[in-house]
Amino acid sequence: MRLRPISIIQYQNVSPRPELNRLWLSLEAFKKQLEYLSKNNFQVLGLGDAINYMERKKEVGKLRPISITFDNGFMDFYEYVLPVLAEYSCPATVLVSPPKVGHHVTMAGEKVYYLTWSLLKDLSKAGITIGAYEDQTWNINDISESTLLDHIRRYRETLESKLGIKVLYFGVKEGVPNPRIRDFLISEGYRAFLTQCPTNTKADLYAIGRIQVDDDDFNIFLTKISRTYLFFKDRKSWKYIRDYSLDKAAHKLSESYDKIRKRKSH
């Protein structure tokens, strides 16, 4: 069965202090993005529904499906992001590394705290999907296979034991699992593996290329959620698209397509 494409967004963090990390998005930019999605025929799906859509088990009518994920599990999510999600009735997924829960990291001279087990329980009860996250390295190909296999099992067991939930998703910053790791993910009961585009592979639940949003420029966001961007994001031609800045033209092409489609529908 050929999987249907869907835009799955990857945020490293959304914060009122985006200057602490170049991959963080400002809270104001995030609010503007959700407002746009709410007013422009998008339907934000939880990750489970997003995968159901990919597998053709769920329909969204004429709406554009999209799903939102957050890596790392910083405290900013609970304090600032959750109220915005609630305002727009948007589901989301948070991927966390169990060894980091309840601890902190120093960035630009400031302490940045991770979510606690208690707050993760609250998030789960509020409908936020919790998944496991590998943050030992930027790309999983830079970590030993034995370590990765251990984390795949141990992180799931820890999250399920601490939170009393079923953990179905494993996420990384970058990298696609080899066949052995893929088989292990399946045997451990994971429903999907989340990475970052481009994956340079055909659509696969164990190599879902997410679209990272880390720039306050609203036009870049519009480009990244466009149909044109979605069409090209995991293809081998992606390298040339980025090299020649063709991705910046994607939004304009998508806008033109949308205008033509709307005219035909009237």
Side-chain angles (χ1 to χ4, degrees), residues 60-194:
V60 294
K62 295 182 179 180
L63 299 176
R64 282 276 314 281
I66 192 169
S67 192
I68 298 174
T69 67
F70 294 81
D71 291 355
N72 301 296
F74 291 119
M75 188 72 76
D76 285 334
F77 182 87
Y78 189 88
E79 294 181 355
Y80 303 107
V81 177
L82 186 61
V84 182
L85 292 171
E87 179 181 351
Y88 291 99
S89 300
C90 287
T93 298
V94 176
L95 304 175
V96 298
S97 177
K100 297 294 180 65
V101 175
H103 295 282
H104 71 269
V105 63
T106 300
M107 294 185 182
E110 294 191 38
K111 289 183 178 180
V112 177
Y113 290 88
Y114 292 95
L115 292 163
T116 64
W117 289 115
S118 176
L119 291 180
L120 283 169
K121 282 185 179 180
D122 289 346
L123 290 177
S124 180
K125 291 176 182 178
I128 299 297
T129 300
I130 308 296
Y133 185 60
E134 178 59 72
D135 68 347
Q136 294 297 308
T137 181
W138 186 266
N139 190 304
I140 61 164
N141 295 311
D142 296 329
I143 189 173
S144 71
E145 184 176 295
S146 61
T147 297
L148 182 57
L149 292 174
D150 172 65
H151 290 180
I152 287 172
R153 170 172 288 165
R154 188 155 48 87
Y155 285 7
R156 175 186 57 76
E157 291 175 345
T158 301
L159 288 169
E160 291 184 346
S161 173
K162 292 283 189 179
L163 303 178
I165 61 173
K166 186 70 175 175
V167 174
L168 300 175
Y169 311 107
F170 193 95
V172 299
K173 296 182 182 75
E174 288 184 1
V176 176
N178 63 36
R180 173 175 160 77
I181 294 172
R182 186 184 190 279
D183 290 344
F184 190 70
L185 285 160
I186 295 172
S187 71
E188 283 296 306
Y190 286 98
R191 190 180 182 195
F193 177 94
L194 308 173

